[in-house]
């Protein structure tokens, strides 16, 4: 669970002695889900960022949907930015393998890392997942062990005679089907399929996370009886009319599906916990009608306990330093100083600056109290794109205690994919096609265009079209990990 | 005078001929970071892995079916519309209709499909209307068996108006005297279309048909990619989406390029063949 803080400490600590930059240009390729930040000339935060860190910061920002194409273009262009955010995609795995990013191990091994105390604070388990082939090729972007939470429309449920959250799979089905039948135009219990409902179904039927590893051999979660039961449950949800009729299209249109949550046209949500506590559309929706979205943890289908949830590795992505930039050791050290600044912990002056801007620009803070916003300014839209990355994830909002209590229930009932952090060439290459295969079979089974028995046909295809290769490669990697490391 | 050719020439050399060199990637295990010079040569391996992929047959079949349907229905549609519009007497009405039918061309596929979803989707107006009549659960947008017809209908709706422009231009070159003398000889309006307008449109039609045959393996990428989740790859996998999932999304650039190369060769053969056939049938052909 991420650490939570309802308040800032009265006295902020200082973790960095001098501005990290050398006044020159610093480029970074990064991913973003936010609207584009205003240009430098109109962006107070960007200006103070350059000044405080002593850099001429020139980010190249890829919207999440275009990330892969943009990265490929950058790689092919031959002139990589100094710092690159590397998601777990085929493209970046390949670039790392080809040596596009500097091996930082020699500089950071042993006590050497103490020169960068904030980087030294990176957790042991996170180092394990950012390493590639035993080399440190970057720093982690944090991801909580379980980042999201389920909520449902409690107000509708009460109206329909369900005062409590669903206690088993049957109740889950009844509840969400009842939302679709309330006679309100455009209102449905569930929106996208497989989507959110499949995640809940997998949890309720205790489908293994990723793979099941027993006696040295792997079974893919979709090959298990549990998964077959979850799919069957999905077909029942569909038959009961719980879904939006265009559920399959909605699954491919994340933006539209998400917009149904604040719009009040869907009864379930599965989004990052922090969304309900930090200002934004979901927060606003909840403020407007506090009885609406209540958290619930999908139960085990028989009603005896909670579902089973997938725990993350704690790493969302890597932040690598380009081999080209690392050739000059002075520059490499400067870039490490820079990363060290960004990684500053909650309660430090650096972290405060990255989340509130310079004193008086967007927030003012006096006497160790809470920061008060400066009227007429808006911090998030100007800063969010620029600061996303290495900063440690913390729940630093009012209600952090509640958020953690909810989060604990997920983490305590979670397992991690035994193959997490392992590389399989077959997996990176074949995954897009296998996802497509899943769509063609499982999606169509769910909406009744194919019989449930086609699940076997799907699995046969899955095995022959890369699944078995993946299994072999992962089994070898697991054995190597057991014997080696 | 020849200087006027320059901008166009530079454009074609820079953006059409120079990129042809990139086709060498088809014979490599290409890595964007290592570049053409650093990547490993793999001979024909990319081509064999395409042929061995079980999905390719489905992709080719779907592509050819959709291509044939487009040739049969979407290609002649603008001719019919142009002739119809040409027969309208009221200039005002004609301009109105033109404006309306041109418009969809300027919408991106994302918007077109969203609009169709609103009308034909499971929560769309058609489904709502039919449910009033007691017919439930109509969702034409996620019916795999209806999908190919849907694709062609969408293409017709989006581009029929735009397609009329070139036929209008052709119609306007047909001499009015031909119509007059045909009328004097007692030809009614149908006979005038059959014996004057259509022969007048023939050269343009043949030219466009030959060009269309050149792109017979390209049936629209976005349109299909966007709708594939709803109907599955069985119905919606075409060569271009296959390339996307097999090559681009998996970072397998060599395979993508190999497919592109094959498509280019097939397209060239089709254009040359169709051109020769057109000449043999007595028209001028394209070149």
């Amino acid at each position: 669970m991420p650490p939570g803080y309802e308040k800032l400490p009265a006295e902020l600590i200082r973790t960095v002695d001098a501005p990290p930059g050398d006044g020159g240009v610093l480029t970074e390729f990064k991913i973003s889900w936010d609207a584009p930040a205003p240009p430098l000339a109109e962006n107070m935060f960007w200006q103070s960022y350059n000044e405080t860190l002593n850099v001429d910061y020139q980010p190249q920002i890829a919207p999440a949907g275009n990330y892969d194409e943009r990265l490929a273009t950058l790689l092919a262009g031959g002139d990589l930015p100094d710092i690159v955010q590397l998601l777990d995609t085929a493209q970046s795995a390949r670039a790392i393998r080809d040596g596009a990013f500097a091996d930082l191990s020699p500089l950071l091994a042993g006590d050497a890392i103490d020169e960068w105390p904030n980087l030294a604070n990176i957790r042991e388990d996170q180092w394990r997942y950012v390493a590639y082939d035993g080399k440190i090729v970057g720093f982690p972007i944090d991801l909580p062990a379980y980042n999201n939470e389920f909520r449902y429309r409690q107000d509708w449920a009460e109206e329909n005679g369900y005062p409590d959250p669903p206690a088993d799979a049957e109740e889950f089905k009844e509840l969400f089907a009842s939302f679709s039948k309330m006679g309100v135009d455009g209102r449905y219990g569930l929106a996208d399929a497989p989507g959110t409902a499949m995640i809940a179904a997998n949890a309720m039927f205790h489908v293994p996370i990723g793979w099941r590893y027993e006696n040295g051999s792997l079974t893919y979660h979709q090959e298990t009886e549990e998964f077959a039961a979850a799919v069957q449950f999905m077909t029942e949800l569909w038959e009961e009319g719980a879904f939006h009729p265009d559920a399959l299209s909605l699954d491919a249109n994340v933006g539209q599906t998400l917009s149904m949550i604040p719009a009040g046209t869907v009864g379930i949500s599965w989004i990052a916990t922090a969304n309900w506590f930090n200002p934004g559309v979901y927060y606003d929706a909840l403020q407007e009608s506090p009885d609406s979205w209540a958290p619930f943890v999908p139960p085990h289908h028989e009603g005896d306990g909670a579902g089973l949830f997938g725990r993350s590795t704690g790493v969302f992505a890597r932040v690598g330093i380009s081999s080209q930039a690392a050739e000059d050791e002075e520059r490499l050290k400067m870039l490490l100083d820079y990363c060290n600044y960004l990684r500053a912990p909650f309660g430090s002056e650096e972290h405060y600056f990255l989340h509130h801007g310079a004193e008086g620009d967007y927030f003012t803070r006096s006497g160790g109290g809470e920061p008060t916003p400066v009227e007429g300014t808006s911090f998030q839209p100007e800063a969010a794109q620029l600061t996303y990355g290495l900063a440690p994830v913390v729940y630093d909002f009012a209600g952090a205690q509640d958020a953690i209590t909810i989060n604990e229930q997920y983490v305590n009932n979670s397992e991690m994919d035994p193959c997490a952090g392992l590389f399989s060439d077959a997996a990176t290459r074949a995954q897009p096609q296998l996802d497509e295969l899943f769509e063609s079979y499982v999606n169509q089974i769910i909406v009744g265009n194919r019989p449930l028995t086609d699940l076997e046909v799907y699995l046969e295809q899955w095995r022959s079209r890369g699944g078995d290769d993946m299994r072999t490669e992962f089994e070898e990697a697991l054995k190597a990990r057991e014997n080696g490391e | 005078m020849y200087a006027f050719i320059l901008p166009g020439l530079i454009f074609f050399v820079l953006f059409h001929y120079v990129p042809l060199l990139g086709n060498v990637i088809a014979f490599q295990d290409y890595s964007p970071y290592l570049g053409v010079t650093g990547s490993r040569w793999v001979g024909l391996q990319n081509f064999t892995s395409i042929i061995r992929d079980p999905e390719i047959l489905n992709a080719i079949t779907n592509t050819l079916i959709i291509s044939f349907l487009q040739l049969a229905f979407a290609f002649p549609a603008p001719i019919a519309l142009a002739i119809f519009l040409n027969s309208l007497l009221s200039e005002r009405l004609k301009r109105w209709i033109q404006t309306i039918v041109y418009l969809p061309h300027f919408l991106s596929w994302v918007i077109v499909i969203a609009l169709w979803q609103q009308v034909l989707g499971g929560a769309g107006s058609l489904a709502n209307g039919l449910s009033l009549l007691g017919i439930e659960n109509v969702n034409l947008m996620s019916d795999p068996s209806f999908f190919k017809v849907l694709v062609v209908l969408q293409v017709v709706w989006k581009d029929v108006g735009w397609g009329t422009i070139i036929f209008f231009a052709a119609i306007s070159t047909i001499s009015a005297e031909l119509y007059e003398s045909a009328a004097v000889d007692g030809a009614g309006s149908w006979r005038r279309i059959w014996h004057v307008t259509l022969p007048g449109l023939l050269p343009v039609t043949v030219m466009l048909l030959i060009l269309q045959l050149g792109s017979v393996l390209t049936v629209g990428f976005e349109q299909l990619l966007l709708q594939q989740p709803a109907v599955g790859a069985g119905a919606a996998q075409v060569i271009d989406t296959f390339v996307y999932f097999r090559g681009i999304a998996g970072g397998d650039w060599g395979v993508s390029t190999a497919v592109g190369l094959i498509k280019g060769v097939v397209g060239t053969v089709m254009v040359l063949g169709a051109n020769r056939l057109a000449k043999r049938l007595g028209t001028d052909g394209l070149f």
Side-chain angles (χ1 to χ4, degrees), chain A residues 71 77 108 121 148 183 196 207 220 244 250 293 317 343 346 457:
Chain A
L71 180 63
L108 301 178
N121 272 336
N148 288 15
T196 303
V207 177
Y220 193 49
H244 187 289
L250 284 170
W293 287 104
R343 188 72 189 177
F346 179 82
V457 186

Side-chain angles (χ1 to χ4, degrees), chain A residues 68-69 72 75-78 80 90-91 94-95 98-101 185 188 244-246 248-249 252 256 323-324 428-430 432-433 436-437 439-440 443-444 449-450 461 464-465, chain B residues 29-34 39 53-55 117-118 120-124 128 139 141-144 226 228-234 237 241-242 244-246 248-253:
Chain A
D68 238 16
E69 288 85 349
L75 288 165
L80 278 179
Q91 213 72 255
R94 174 123 207 204
D98 291 342
F101 302 98
D185 204 24
Y188 298 96
H244 187 289
D246 294 327
L248 295 184
S249 309
Q256 199 186 340
S323 300
Q324 219 174 336
T428 40
R429 276 183 198 241
Q433 262 190 310
E436 200 192 5
L437 192 68
E439 268 179 11
S440 302
N443 286 16
Q444 297 293 324
N449 283 342
R450 279 180 186 273
Q461 295 246 346
S464 68
R465 289 170 60 177
Chain B
D29 177 18
Y30 179 72
S31 148
Y33 177 68
L34 298 174
S39 297
D53 197 298
E55 190 64 19
Q117 187 82 46
Q118 294 295 322
L120 299 184
N128 286 339
N139 189 348
M141 297 291 283
S142 66
D143 182 351
L226 287 165
Q228 191 171 316
V231 294
Q237 183 84 289
T241 54
F242 169 78
Y244 177 76
F245 288 107
R246 174 69 178 79
I248 294 173
D252 229 343
W253 303 94

Side-chain angles (χ1 to χ4, degrees), chain A residues 37-48 362 379 381-383 386:
Chain A
L40 179 60
E42 298 154 28
N43 190 328
M44 205 158 45
F45 177 75
W46 196 341
Q47 292 161 14
S48 66
Y362 302 89
F379 179 73
E382 291 177 25
L386 303 179

Side-chain angles (χ1 to χ4, degrees), chain A residues 84-88 92-93 95-97 101-105 108 113 118-143 312-321 336 339 343 389-390 416 419-423 481 485:
Chain A
V84 177
Q85 295 186 351
L86 291 162
L87 269 62
D88 248 336
S92 50
I96 294 172
R97 205 174 45 199
F101 302 98
D103 175 12
L104 305 170
S105 324
L108 301 178
I113 198 173
N118 295 332
L119 296 177
N121 272 336
I122 291 169
R123 295 199 314 267
E124 190 60 42
D125 60 303
Q126 290 185 310
W127 282 123
R128 192 143 49 94
Y129 291 111
V130 289
Y132 182 87
D133 221 4
K135 295 177 201 150
I136 297 177
V137 287
F139 306 112
I141 294 182
D142 283 358
L143 181 65
S312 83
T313 59
V315 176
F316 172 70
R318 291 181 179 79
V319 176
I321 294 180
L336 291 176
C339 292
R343 188 72 189 177
L390 287 173
M416 203 193 283
C419 299
L422 295 178
F423 274 94
R481 189 198 261 171
E485 280 183 15

